[in-house]
Amino acid sequence: MAKNSVNQDEKINSLKGRDILIRLVKYVKPYKLKVSLVLFLMLIVMGTGLLSPMLLKIAIDNYIEVKDVVGLIVISLGLVGINVIGMYASKLSTYQMNKTTHSILHTIRQELYIHIQKLSFSFFDDRPVGKILARVVGDVNSLSELFSKSVTTVIPQALNLIAIGVILFVMNAKLAIVSIIILPVLAVVVSTMMVKARAKWQVFRQKRSNLNGFTHESFSGIKIIQNFTFEGETTKKFEKAVGEVRDGFLSAVKYNDWLWSFIDMSFGISSIIVFWYGATLTRRGEVSIGTIIAFISYTSMFWRPIINIASYYNTLVTNFAAAERIFEIMDVVPTIDEMEGSEDMPTIKGAVEFKNVSFEYEKDVQVLHNVNFKIRPGENIALVGPTGAGKTTITSLISRFYDTTEGEVLIDGKDVSKVNLYSLRSQMGIMLQDTFLFSTSIKENIRYGKLDATDEEIIAAAKAVNAHDFIMKLEKGYDTEVNERGSRLSVGQRQLISFARALLANPRILILDEATSNIDTATEILVQKGINKLLHGRTSFVIAHRLSTIRDCDKIMVVDDGEIVESGTHEELLKLKGFYYNLYMAQYSFLNEGA
């Protein structure tokens, strides 16, 4: 799928209907016993339905004419009994099928969610979050009716159709032929309409996905929208997106409406033919009135499965678009994957080396150009340079969130592309400028760094970064619930909690990407003291624009336009009077002017 914005239609790889069905059936197989029970119950329902017209025929031909009241009472009780059995079997089968369907959907949604978690950063770079949510929630939900109807409609109704057809031909072959004469025309019309309808439903789901993506993006950025009084413009865009969804739905559903109209018309024509020809045969004395009445009842019952199967076919086509969208995601192969036979990363000592590393997010647009450097275990490295120079990309390659386009990234002499991802990343701690907190307690947010951490370890990590004091002033201390993304806390407070989380992980390599940019100077001094203690014996990479925070680093690497143009200590780089010197003096002058 190409990159797309919230208002750009997604490009979905179309799958054959047969392939989609085969993949869907795979999810039904574990529930074959429950499905068999549902089918058995549906056969009971079908059997009771088929018996009713036959008992009616017997009542008319054998008991009404001779005025046998007792026989009529017996027949009536029989009709009531089989209908009660059929009603109970129908309700029980519906309950069991709904239960099974939701279990299947749970499996699909869980499998999809697990797969998405394994996908590389490039997958998320290319897709708005709202459109991914549309697959996991909306598209999976759309399969509910497809699964339930496949068992409760297709198989029973197909058997019902065959059984009624046999009964009709046994009762009177001439009438039976007349009653089905219009079916070939109906089959051609239905198949033609459904081909066109499938394409329309694909468009509808694309538009609905766009709406979902736009809505998610708008509410995520609601503070910006309100701050810049942009509500009017976003409302216009929302109205346009909703209008496209409406138009897409109406365009698709019109085929359904035409289909039902044609089926109703076909049923009407068939009924008229049967009435006319049945009356002719009755006048000739070839059939009894009871037979005609029973035949008409069976003819109505014959068309009911046709309508139900056509309805299922419509459901199938409608939801094939949803299945295609789900399987399209499941078929995405992670660009960052473990090689077959990859080994676990041993306990990291901290040596990091880049060998002729080049990297590009998009083809032929290089972000890093032939980068080379060696870092010894335990060194504290600072990466500085202008925005977009490639600093964050370097740290992302160390954690193997992306693979190099050329060259190798080595940790303790091992190529990171050839080791187990979990064993690599579990020994790293990363704190980003864009702090993310989950909608849970502060304690649990910090515990993400080490899932089995004790409360004492959590508090110790918070104290180390000077987050403990402000946490204890909150209404429930460490048990205080934070809103989505931690919106009830200040930016600085969120960063301190995130920093405690990273430090709790006790990483062998620590990456701080503008981690202290939103902390005031007084707090930063306190945090820096805690950092210095925890960085002892660990390799760390610090990205910072505030040069005063990196003066004591073992080595400063200046990155510009995807290359390391200077490298050395703070004093060494100042003596060079090159890029770093100019950057430092410009910042120093700016601060003096501000003072």
Side-chain angles (χ1 to χ4, degrees), residues 19-165:
D19 294 335
I20 294 175
L21 283 175
I22 290 173
R23 295 179 71 165
L24 291 174
V25 168
K26 180 189 71 172
Y27 292 100
V28 181
K29 285 184 178 179
Y31 303 94
K32 57 186 177 183
L33 291 179
K34 292 183 178 179
V35 171
S36 298
L37 172 62
V38 172
L39 288 174
F40 175 72
L41 292 170
M42 293 303 298
L43 288 175
I44 293 176
V45 174
M46 183 183 75
T48 58
L50 292 175
L51 279 174
S52 293
M54 190 59 66
L55 291 177
L56 184 63
K57 175 183 179 300
I58 294 171
I60 293 172
D61 289 344
N62 297 350
Y63 296 107
I64 290 179
E65 288 186 6
V66 297
K67 299 181 180 180
D68 186 344
V69 177
V70 175
L72 283 173
I73 292 174
V74 172
I75 289 292
S76 298
L77 291 175
L79 279 168
V80 172
I82 65 172
N83 278 284
V84 168
I85 293 172
M87 181 179 67
Y88 179 76
S90 177
K91 287 185 177 297
L92 184 58
S93 65
T94 300
Y95 169 77
Q96 287 293 338
M97 195 61 230
N98 286 337
K99 186 178 177 181
T100 302
T101 296
H102 284 287
S103 297
I104 294 171
L105 295 187
H106 174 80
T107 301
I108 294 175
R109 185 175 282 114
Q110 190 76 4
E111 185 177 315
L112 180 61
Y113 180 79
I114 291 172
H115 178 72
I116 289 174
Q117 284 193 114
K118 295 178 181 177
L119 295 178
S120 314
F121 277 14
S122 56
F123 170 84
F124 299 95
D125 292 341
D126 290 352
R127 294 161 177 81
V129 174
K131 292 191 176 185
I132 300 174
L133 288 175
R135 310 285 182 103
V136 178
V137 181
D139 289 334
V140 174
N141 286 343
S142 297
L143 299 181
S144 174
E145 194 176 11
L146 188 149
F147 280 113
S148 60
K149 280 192 173 182
S150 65
V151 177
T152 59
T153 299
V154 178
I155 299 175
Q157 295 300 332
L159 293 175
N160 208 14
L161 189 65
I162 294 170
I164 295 172

Side-chain angles (χ1 to χ4, degrees), residues 262-557:
F262 191 81
I263 290 176
D264 289 340
M265 184 178 68
S266 299
F267 174 56
I269 293 172
S270 178
S271 299
I272 291 172
I273 294 173
V274 170
F275 272 113
W276 171 76
Y277 193 63
T280 301
L281 293 179
T282 302
R283 285 195 299 269
R284 294 176 184 174
E286 296 183 23
V287 294
S288 66
I289 294 177
T291 300
I292 290 296
I293 293 174
F295 195 93
I296 292 171
S297 297
Y298 278 119
T299 301
S300 177
M301 292 173 63
F302 180 79
W303 275 89
R304 198 178 307 152
I306 292 175
I307 293 172
N308 289 336
I309 290 173
S311 174
Y312 171 78
Y313 188 35
N314 178 54
T315 300
L316 191 70
V317 171
T318 301
N319 293 295
F320 259 16
E324 278 182 324
R325 290 164 58 82
I326 292 168
F327 293 138
E328 193 264 344
I329 293 288
M330 286 187 175
D331 291 339
V332 174
V333 179
T335 55
I336 306 301
D337 204 1
E338 295 172 1
M339 297 177 62
E340 188 175 344
S342 61
E343 59 184 52
D344 287 345
M345 186 74 189
T347 300
I348 292 177
K349 297 176 182 177
V352 178
E353 182 179 1
F354 272 45
K355 279 187 176 181
N356 305 315
V357 170
S358 295
F359 177 76
E360 53 189 38
Y361 290 104
E362 297 180 25
K363 187 173 178 59
D364 299 327
V365 182
Q366 278 201 339
V367 179
L368 296 179
H369 317 281
N370 196 34
V371 174
N372 291 274
F373 63 79
K374 285 185 178 182
I375 306 301
R376 294 191 297 269
E379 280 193 313
N380 188 4
I381 308 302
L383 297 172
V384 301
T387 301
K391 305 182 295 297
T392 298
T393 301
I394 289 175
T395 59
S396 295
L397 293 176
I398 294 172
S399 304
R400 205 194 166 205
F401 290 131
Y402 301 93
D403 275 333
T404 62
T405 306
E406 296 177 7
E408 295 177 314
V409 176
L410 307 175
I411 296 181
D412 295 340
K414 291 185 176 294
D415 189 335
V416 296
S417 66
K418 298 178 181 178
V419 299
N420 178 277
L421 278 174
Y422 178 81
S423 66
L424 172 68
R425 293 176 184 168
S426 63
Q427 298 188 67
M428 292 187 174
I430 302 174
M431 182 177 173
L432 306 174
Q433 181 180 11
D434 182 18
T435 304
F436 188 94
L437 297 184
F438 296 92
S439 300
T440 182
S441 67
I442 290 175
K443 181 191 297 181
E444 292 307 313
N445 267 287
I446 296 175
R447 187 173 273 131
Y448 264 88
K450 182 184 177 185
L451 296 179
D452 60 349
T454 64
D455 290 354
E456 290 74 19
E457 289 175 314
I458 291 172
I459 293 172
K463 286 182 176 178
V465 298
N466 292 284
H468 178 75
D469 290 343
F470 92 78
I471 292 174
M472 294 306 297
K473 291 178 182 178
L474 298 174
E475 53 188 29
K476 294 183 180 179
Y478 284 86
D479 293 319
T480 301
E481 296 282 328
V482 300
N483 297 338
E484 186 178 5
R485 301 183 69 90
S487 60
R488 68 178 298 180
L489 302 175
S490 71
V491 176
Q493 288 172 331
R494 294 202 298 268
Q495 283 195 314
L496 289 174
I497 292 173
S498 181
F499 200 55
R501 177 170 61 196
L503 296 179
L504 183 64
N506 191 25
R508 305 308 305 165
I509 296 178
L510 185 60
I511 296 172
L512 309 178
D513 190 346
E514 288 290 342
T516 60
S517 61
N518 292 314
I519 301 175
D520 60 85
T521 305
T523 304
E524 184 182 354
I525 294 171
L526 296 175
V527 171
Q528 197 66 45
K529 291 179 181 179
I531 293 174
N532 291 337
K533 293 177 184 177
L534 290 163
L535 291 185
H536 181 71
R538 293 184 178 88
T539 302
S540 64
F541 290 84
V542 181
I543 299 175
H545 286 102
R546 198 183 302 175
L547 302 184
S548 59
T549 63
I550 60 171
R551 292 181 58 172
D552 297 329
C553 287
D554 298 315
K555 184 184 293 185
I556 299 171
M557 296 194 298

Side-chain angles (χ1 to χ4, degrees), residues 200-205 207 242-254:
K200 295 295 183 181
W201 283 113
Q202 287 175 334
V203 173
F204 164 70
R205 293 197 179 278
K207 299 303 181 184
V242 171
E244 290 178 346
V245 172
R246 177 201 60 212
D247 294 342
F249 176 79
L250 292 176
S251 178
V253 81
K254 72 178 181 182

